Amino acid sequence: MCSETFITKDSNEPSFALVLSVLRKLRSSMDRMSSSMTSSMTGMGLGGITGLTTGISTLSCVREQQITIGGMPSNYVPGLSASYNISSFCHRPGQTRRCPMQRPGPSAQHRPGRSHSTGALHRMKHSSRNSPNTQYTHNLICKLADQNERRRRHDTMEMIPQNFYSQQPLKVELTEFYSRDNSKDHHTEQYELVNDNVLPNPVLRRGQNFFFAVRFDRTYDKQQDVIRIVFCLGPKPSVTKGTRVVLSVNLNTQQGVFQHSRDMMGLGMARMQETSTTMAPIGSMCGMSTIGTITTIGTMSPMSGMRETTTYGVRRSSFGNETMPAQHSPLSPPGPMERPIIERYSATAQHASFGRSYGSQHGSRHGSMQNLAINTSSHEMDKWDISVQRQDGNTITFQVHVPANAPVGVWNCWVQTHRTGQRDNRHDYKCDEDIYILFNPWCRDDTVYMDNDAFRKEYVLNEQGKIWCGTWRQPKGRKWIYGQFDDVVLPACMYLLERSGLEHSERGNPVRVSRAISSIINANADDDGLMVGRYDGEYKDGVSPHAWTGSVAILERYLTDGGRPVEYGQCWVFSGLVVTICRALGIPCRSVTNYVSAHDTNRTFTVDKYFDRDGNEVPNGPDEDCFDSCWNFHVWNDVWMQRPDLPQGYSGWQIIDATPQEEAEAVYHCGPASVEAVRRGEVGFQYDTPFMYGQLNAELCHFQEEENSDWGFIRMASNQCQVGRKILTKNPSRDDDEGESDLLEITHEYKTADSSCSERGAVIASCRGYQRLQQYYDYPDRNAEDVYFDLMDIDIVPYGQPFDCTMNIQNKSHEDRTILCVLTASACYYTGAIASRLRRAQGEFIVRAGQREVLKLHVTAQEYMDKLVDHSMVKVHAMAYVKQTRQAWSDEDDFPLQKPRMQVQVRSQPCVGQECTVTFSFQNPLTVHLTDCYFTVEGPGVQRPRQIRFRDVKPGEFVNYQDKLVPRRSGERRIVATFSSRQIDEIFGCASVNVRG
């Protein structure tokens, strides 16, 4: 503290004035240091305080500089007797004591011009005992006193709390989230993020417990150290909104998984009732053993297996099964250490399950739904909770319970530490791992709970499926790779949720989440959705919807392009993306196809078409404001969840539609609408139930121009039940790579079989709200109709072959009838819009009484080959008008031309990590060259989405292409491939392979 040397004229003694000046300076310095020393003096014993005061009053300056605090060296030991002046023991032989201490006692006197501390030195100099041995004796006493001090210090060390030497908060060195171990009980082990070799991320389901461990820089002191685990979601986490959770760690009670404090840091730091139960002794650290209700799994890999994160200079990792190379970081443990053992509750050793047990000592399987219901009734499961599972030295293993209503998303974990009473001096540590929390269909308390295990495997865990296209008479299933476990899917899902604008606090509600998904999939002019829809067949500036084999390539392109919408998609592509995102988030989801789906734009619950007198369609109606259409098929999605916002009985499957059709609340989104509400016609329930009801039950109305009509048109007879002809989804218990035997018809779930036209009309009339308009939709008197018309169905027509359109006419009257007939074949989009006319026949002829006539229209391959568009759809429209009775009739039918199927064959037994040869073959059905050709190949665990350019294909050529694939995962896998060219597309195939590990 002082570096000055005081030299007097005669006695080498400092003057009293100079000493007093130095003491004043030191006292001033101590005042300035008082604020910083407050924490260091906290807890200091009475002897330490006394020693501090004495040291200030007896401070002396020596030639050898020492770092002192208030007269005490830095090695001062609190609690020692104040009579020890430690600076006196620091003298060494050969050094002169410039300012010796005054001997305490009554003989001490003050002399003017002389320091209080110089009397002893004066007496020693002039005493008879000041012999040549004096220096020796002085050194001896210093050495003996120093030795005594070290002995006393050693004895005192055991009595002094460690916090006197470590006043700083605990610091985190390592964190371990046991991503792979936790995933097994959370049904998330298939996510590639969990198995990442660089930075495994925990993927967890709400309503369950997970374990993680923290290694600190020293042992936890339960009296002085405070630890809080904080979980945050979103950019502005809030405690009151449930997006910031603060959990206080309490080790005052006996450690164990049965004891934990329920400290939910909500509106305050109020401590809830602690539940404590004596924990059974922990058994062997190796192998599998069960003691009481505790199951201990095998030895973990050593702590030295953690990798180094150079950004922060610390070592963090998820432990893999493989041994990682030794790290040479100074933060590495000094020797081989074992990772804390994860203890689980289980009734069987085959399936240990994370959980908390409060009941019977016989153990229970928390992973089973039956016992989960019991646990739910025995304690609160709707709060975050933390308990200490075990403590091994500086490492503490925590068990955290995530409530079943927690918001889903990417959570971050912070470890906050500080000393008791020193919250301002806090150390915050942010864990590197992103914690993905998902919905949990295995948890009864979760609103997406599904009690059928086979359904969970299909609607949550299945990575591939079928989406049905074609027509209601000829459904055609197309394989689609959902790939919800790919490492790009979950990050893309989280980014899409952010783009949707859904509040983070609402992301625990599957109703709100699914509605947000339906809006963010499609990209409109006013938003940046995932994919742009296009239906006109012009895809040169993007990718044709038929070229996609699955969702992964679309999501990856979306991320790599910085969130720019991907081009292009259609309803069945949107549906496949919805399945991927919902299943990735944990919401059970299926793809549903509605054949002959109504798109009612003016909310009349009808699809209106207008024709002139010659049978030509009047585009957009006579007032050019009618844009109704009837899609050959439309694909949406069903999601499984409870609907607490609806009356009982309307939970289960809910409809969401990601294809932009009509705005709802100024946003293109649709659903969730209860399937049961749609079936019953309860169109007053949220969300968008009337619109979905119209897609399934609207009337197809054809109007023909008529000069005798009051408003210029008359209603023509048509099939009233044509809309919603058939509703299909994939059968969860069957897979068919070659045919269509794995379809499941679910029309009865959407439409009541015994509902009459009057019942449906009553619902429609109530929705319209305009009873006066009903007169225009009424049929003319059907009693005067005496001519029967029928448009014949067309069987399967191979691509490149001619076909005939046939209409049967039967005159049932006793008089001749003059009939005007129009028969047209057109190439059309699957949305029902006409692309181009192929051929048209029109004529007026007389049908004799009781006679039959057949009108045919023959179309050759040359007439349609260069005019077909997506899905190779052909629309046949027939119209007839009887002059004598003014009977009007109209009908239409659609059918696809059948394209060749691609054969996919694997030549050898595929093994993980080894190349295998796959052959793709098909025959060109056209008589022209195929140009701009390419294959798209994809298979979960076998091949990431890949596009392969291919040469031009000759007319009628049999194509045989081979490629090399390297499987990455074992088990039953599927490979899906498509072929596209400028002249023909939608040639696809699929093969199932069994990959050996």
Side-chain angles (χ1 to χ4, degrees):
M1 298 293 295
C2 179
S3 61
E4 300 182 51
T5 303
F6 304 105
I7 303 176
T8 62
K9 294 181 180 179
D10 299 321
S11 62
N12 293 330
E13 297 179 357
S15 65
F16 177 79
L18 289 176
V19 173
L20 184 60
S21 175
V22 170
L23 289 176
R24 287 173 179 171
K25 292 181 181 179
L26 292 176
R27 289 182 184 275
S28 177
S29 300
M30 291 305 301
D31 292 337
R32 290 193 300 268
M33 295 169 57
S34 60
S35 60
S36 62
M37 290 178 57
T38 303
S39 60
S40 298
M41 295 176 60
T42 303
M44 187 176 290
L46 179 61
I49 300 297
T50 306
L52 178 63
T53 306
T54 305
I56 293 176
S57 63
T58 60
L59 184 71
S60 61
C61 296
V62 295
R63 179 173 297 173
E64 179 181 339
Q65 297 184 22
Q66 300 183 45
I67 300 176
T68 61
I69 300 177
M72 297 180 297
S74 58
N75 60 355
Y76 173 75
V77 182
L80 292 180
S81 173
S83 62
Y84 286 140
N85 190 324
I86 299 179
S87 63
S88 65
F89 300 142
C90 300
H91 180 69
R92 294 294 180 266
Q95 293 184 351
T96 303
R97 298 177 60 88
R98 292 285 183 178
C99 304
M101 295 295 183
Q102 178 186 3
R103 183 188 304 174
S107 61
Q109 299 180 5
H110 172 67
R111 297 182 183 181
R114 209 173 214 196
S115 172
H116 287 272
S117 59
T118 59
L121 180 61
H122 177 77
R123 284 192 300 273
M124 185 176 65
K125 287 183 178 180
H126 300 281
S127 173
S128 60
R129 290 176 294 176
N130 189 17
S131 61
N133 293 330
T134 301
Q135 189 67 33
Y136 170 78
T137 56
H138 175 70
N139 294 340
L140 179 63
I141 189 61
C142 289
K143 182 181 71 171
L144 296 176
D146 189 51
Q147 292 175 352
N148 181 71
E149 179 188 5
R150 286 198 297 267
R151 287 192 295 270
R152 296 290 79 78
R153 181 181 301 185
H154 182 271
D155 295 340
T156 309
M157 283 287 292
E158 299 179 356
M159 299 183 296
I160 298 176
Q162 187 179 0
N163 58 70
F164 286 108
Y165 301 96
S166 179
Q167 296 296 328
Q168 293 299 317
L170 287 167
K171 291 186 178 180
V172 178
E173 292 183 347
L174 310 173
T175 57
E176 167 56 43
F177 278 88
Y178 303 121
S179 299
R180 296 184 179 95
D181 298 305
N182 284 309
S183 67
K184 296 176 183 177
D185 291 276
H186 286 251
H187 306 279
T188 58
E189 66 273 13
Q190 296 186 62
Y191 285 88
E192 292 183 359
L193 289 176
V194 171
N195 301 294
D196 185 75
N197 292 324
V198 179
L199 181 62
N201 288 286
V203 180
L204 310 169
R205 298 195 187 275
R206 62 185 194 174
Q208 290 185 236
N209 304 330
F210 71 92
F211 287 77
F212 79 101
V214 181
R215 195 178 81 181
F216 298 98
D217 60 340
R218 58 177 173 81
T219 305
Y220 171 81
D221 181 359
K222 65 181 180 181
Q223 299 296 333
Q224 296 295 328
D225 287 321
V226 177
I227 303 175
R228 292 185 179 90
I229 308 299
V230 182
F231 295 95
C232 298
L233 173 67
K236 296 181 179 180
S238 170
V239 172
T240 56
K241 292 183 178 180
T243 55
R244 183 173 183 265
V245 181
V246 184
L247 302 176
S248 181
V249 178
N250 185 2
L251 274 77
N252 289 327
T253 58
Q254 183 180 356
Q255 300 175 15
V257 289
F258 294 111
Q259 303 155 359
H260 55 279
S261 62
R262 291 182 171 273
D263 293 337
M264 174 62 185
M265 311 304 297
L267 298 177
M269 295 291 293
R271 178 164 299 175
M272 303 181 68
Q273 182 179 2
E274 295 182 0
T275 304
S276 60
T277 307
T278 303
M279 185 185 71
I282 298 177
S284 172
M285 297 287 286
C286 302
M288 179 73 73
S289 61
T290 303
I291 304 176
T293 58
I294 301 178
T295 302
T296 304
I297 62 174
T299 305
M300 302 293 181
S301 56
M303 293 284 282
S304 59
M306 288 188 171
R307 72 174 170 281
E308 180 122 8
T309 304
T310 56
T311 305
Y312 300 97
V314 297
R315 299 162 57 82
R316 308 175 199 153
S317 169
S318 177
F319 295 88
N321 296 327
E322 67 280 357
T323 303
M324 297 185 66
Q327 302 289 337
H328 302 286
S329 168
L331 294 177
S332 299
M337 298 178 62
E338 290 187 349
R339 188 172 66 175
I341 301 300
I342 295 181
E343 297 180 349
R344 309 177 181 180
Y345 300 89
S346 177
T348 61
Q350 286 77 8
H351 185 84
S353 174
F354 291 131
R356 184 186 292 112
S357 176
Y358 296 91
S360 171
Q361 295 297 320
H362 299 291
S364 63
R365 177 180 173 181
H366 188 78
S368 66
M369 299 314 304
Q370 180 179 0
N371 291 330
L372 181 59
I374 300 174
N375 290 341
T376 302
S377 61
S378 61
H379 67 284
E380 297 180 6
M381 297 288 288
D382 59 347
K383 292 183 174 62
W384 288 80
D385 189 23
I386 191 170
S387 61
V388 175
Q389 195 265 349
R390 64 182 295 116
Q391 180 178 3
D392 294 321
N394 296 358
T395 302
I396 302 177
T397 304
F398 300 99
Q399 180 182 235
V400 177
H401 174 71
V402 183
N405 58 358
V408 302
V410 182
W411 290 72
N412 297 119
C413 180
W414 294 76
V415 181
Q416 296 181 352
T417 57
H418 66 85
R419 305 286 287 178
T420 301
Q422 303 179 25
R423 191 163 186 173
D424 292 339
N425 183 22
R426 190 180 71 195
H427 183 267
D428 289 345
Y429 177 89
K430 183 178 183 297
C431 302
D432 283 348
E433 292 83 356
D434 290 331
I435 304 172
Y436 291 86
I437 295 182
L438 312 178
F439 292 101
N440 192 352
W442 285 265
C443 176
R444 287 187 183 274
D445 291 332
D446 201 311
T447 48
V448 300
Y449 169 70
M450 179 175 275
D451 60 355
N452 189 307
D453 186 63
F455 287 174
R456 286 194 297 259
K457 289 180 180 179
E458 173 66 26
Y459 300 127
V460 181
L461 301 179
N462 197 349
E463 296 181 82
Q464 57 84 33
K466 262 189 179 180
I467 301 176
W468 262 263
C469 302
T471 63
W472 71 276
R473 289 193 182 93
Q474 302 176 32
K476 182 171 61 174
R478 176 180 182 133
K479 280 288 184 180
W480 190 263
I481 302 299
Y482 300 124
Q484 65 266 32
F485 302 124
D486 193 274
D487 58 5
V488 76
V489 172
L490 269 183
C493 293
M494 300 307 166
Y495 180 74
L496 286 168
L497 284 179
E498 294 297 325
R499 298 290 301 178
S500 71
L502 181 65
E503 291 290 338
H504 291 81
S505 58
E506 295 182 337
R507 297 185 187 180
N509 183 355
V511 175
R512 301 294 297 168
V513 171
S514 60
R515 188 162 178 80
I517 291 173
S518 73
S519 68
I520 199 61
I521 294 296
N522 60 80
N524 299 296
D526 299 332
D527 58 50
D528 295 327
L530 172 59
M531 175 162 270
V532 178
R534 191 156 190 171
Y535 305 89
D536 58 3
E538 297 296 331
Y539 312 120
K540 293 181 180 179
D541 55 341
V543 179
S544 169
H546 305 282
W548 302 111
T549 56
S551 305
V552 174
I554 299 172
L555 293 169
E556 189 165 23
R557 178 171 294 194
Y558 179 72
L559 285 185
T560 55
D561 288 351
R564 187 171 65 89
V566 181
E567 300 169 334
Y568 292 101
Q570 294 175 354
C571 72
W572 47 279
V573 181
F574 294 146
S575 177
L577 288 167
V578 170
V579 172
T580 299
I581 294 174
C582 288
R583 292 186 183 181
L585 294 177
I587 303 176
C589 182
R590 67 185 183 184
S591 180
V592 176
T593 301
N594 175 37
Y595 287 99
V596 191
S597 184
H599 182 196
D600 174 26
T601 60
N602 53 12
R603 301 185 180 181
T604 59
F605 285 83
T606 60
V607 176
D608 302 334
K609 288 188 177 183
Y610 295 87
F611 300 89
D612 60 17
R613 297 177 182 177
D614 297 328
N616 299 311
E617 185 174 354
V618 179
N620 303 330
D623 299 325
E624 297 185 354
D625 61 350
C626 180
F627 303 97
D628 293 349
S629 61
C630 196
W631 295 25
N632 296 318
F633 67 90
H634 180 51
V635 189
W636 61 63
N637 298 89
D638 286 349
V639 288
W640 181 273
M641 64 185 66
Q642 298 177 23
R643 291 297 300 271
D645 57 324
L646 299 182
Q648 186 176 4
Y650 294 95
S651 297
W653 290 117
Q654 313 289 317
I655 306 170
I656 61 174
D657 191 352
T659 303
Q661 295 187 45
E662 295 296 317
E663 287 186 340
E665 302 170 359
V667 179
Y668 280 100
H669 56 190
C670 183
S674 170
V675 171
E676 182 63 18
V678 172
R679 188 184 70 86
R680 296 182 183 181
E682 299 288 352
V683 293
F685 293 151
Q686 296 188 29
Y687 291 88
D688 307 305
T689 306
F691 182 79
M692 297 308 304
Y693 185 86
Q695 290 198 68
L696 294 160
N697 297 280
E699 296 181 62
L700 183 60
C701 298
H702 290 182
F703 298 93
Q704 186 181 28
E705 189 177 7
E706 170 60 54
E707 60 182 6
N708 296 324
S709 172
D710 295 336
W711 65 292
F713 289 85
I714 60 171
R715 171 82 181 271
M716 294 190 291
S718 62
N719 191 342
Q720 296 185 43
C721 300
Q722 189 171 4
V723 173
R725 282 284 185 94
K726 184 181 289 186
I727 305 172
L728 300 180
T729 188
K730 180 187 175 298
N731 193 326
S733 60
R734 184 176 299 177
D735 286 298
D736 187 354
D737 297 333
E738 300 294 334
E740 317 299 340
S741 63
D742 52 352
L743 64 81
L744 177 66
E745 184 173 357
I746 54 174
T747 309
H748 63 281
E749 297 183 21
Y750 285 84
K751 304 178 73 173
T752 305
D754 56 352
S755 62
S756 62
C757 294
S758 59
E759 293 175 353
R760 187 175 67 255
V763 175
I764 293 175
S766 64
C767 293
R768 285 178 184 152
Y770 299 99
Q771 295 294 336
R772 63 183 180 86
L773 298 179
Q774 186 63 35
Q775 58 178 319
Y776 302 113
Y777 292 94
D778 290 337
Y779 282 103
D781 185 8
R782 304 296 296 270
N783 296 325
E785 296 180 357
D786 52 14
V787 179
Y788 173 76
F789 301 96
D790 182 31
L791 181 63
M792 300 297 293
D793 299 335
I794 298 179
D795 295 332
I796 297 175
V797 179
Y799 198 94
Q801 299 297 319
F803 61 87
D804 291 324
C805 305
T806 305
M807 182 176 72
N808 293 328
I809 306 173
Q810 181 181 6
N811 183 2
K812 296 183 178 181
S813 68
H814 300 288
E815 299 177 359
D816 295 346
R817 294 289 183 248
T818 303
I819 301 174
L820 173 65
C821 290
V822 178
L823 189 58
T824 307
S826 305
C828 69
Y829 299 98
Y830 84 99
T831 59
I834 301 299
S836 61
R837 180 180 295 174
L838 303 179
R839 194 172 180 187
R840 184 174 189 266
Q842 179 179 354
E844 180 177 315
F845 51 92
I846 298 175
V847 179
R848 302 298 179 184
Q851 298 296 314
R852 296 174 180 265
E853 294 290 343
V854 177
L855 181 64
K856 283 189 177 183
L857 181 66
H858 183 74
V859 181
T860 64
Q862 289 72 22
E863 291 176 309
Y864 69 74
M865 193 67 71
D866 57 346
K867 297 179 181 179
L868 293 177
V869 291
D870 291 346
H871 302 277
S872 303
M873 291 280 188
V874 176
K875 179 184 288 293
V876 180
H877 178 254
M879 190 183 71
Y881 180 75
V882 181
K883 288 187 174 182
Q884 288 83 357
T885 61
R886 299 175 57 190
Q887 176 185 350
W889 172 87
S890 176
D891 202 357
E892 62 183 28
D893 186 31
D894 301 323
F895 69 94
L897 295 169
Q898 192 175 49
K899 296 180 181 179
R901 191 176 188 87
M902 182 188 301
Q903 298 296 321
V904 181
Q905 296 178 334
V906 180
R907 296 299 183 182
S908 59
Q909 174 65 53
C911 299
V912 174
Q914 299 181 10
E915 278 192 353
C916 64
T917 303
V918 183
T919 302
F920 309 95
S921 58
F922 70 95
Q923 187 171 14
N924 179 11
L926 304 183
T927 58
V928 298
H929 282 78
L930 305 182
T931 59
D932 294 338
C933 306
Y934 59 90
F935 288 90
T936 305
V937 183
E938 181 179 1
V942 178
Q943 174 64 58
R944 292 187 60 80
R946 186 161 64 102
Q947 194 176 90
I948 307 163
R949 285 291 173 181
F950 194 67
R951 59 174 175 80
D952 292 351
V953 178
K954 299 177 181 179
E957 179 185 353
F958 184 82
V959 178
N960 195 340
Y961 170 72
Q962 289 187 351
D963 194 20
K964 302 287 187 181
L965 305 180
V966 181
R968 293 173 289 118
R969 296 187 329 204
S970 61
E972 188 75 15
R973 302 293 168 190
R974 279 180 172 79
I975 302 173
V976 177
T978 65
F979 175 85
S980 299
S981 68
R982 185 182 298 273
Q983 291 74 22
I984 189 174
D985 57 10
E986 205 181 3
I987 298 177
F988 56 85
C990 177
S992 178
V993 295
N994 188 10
V995 180
R996 292 189 302 187

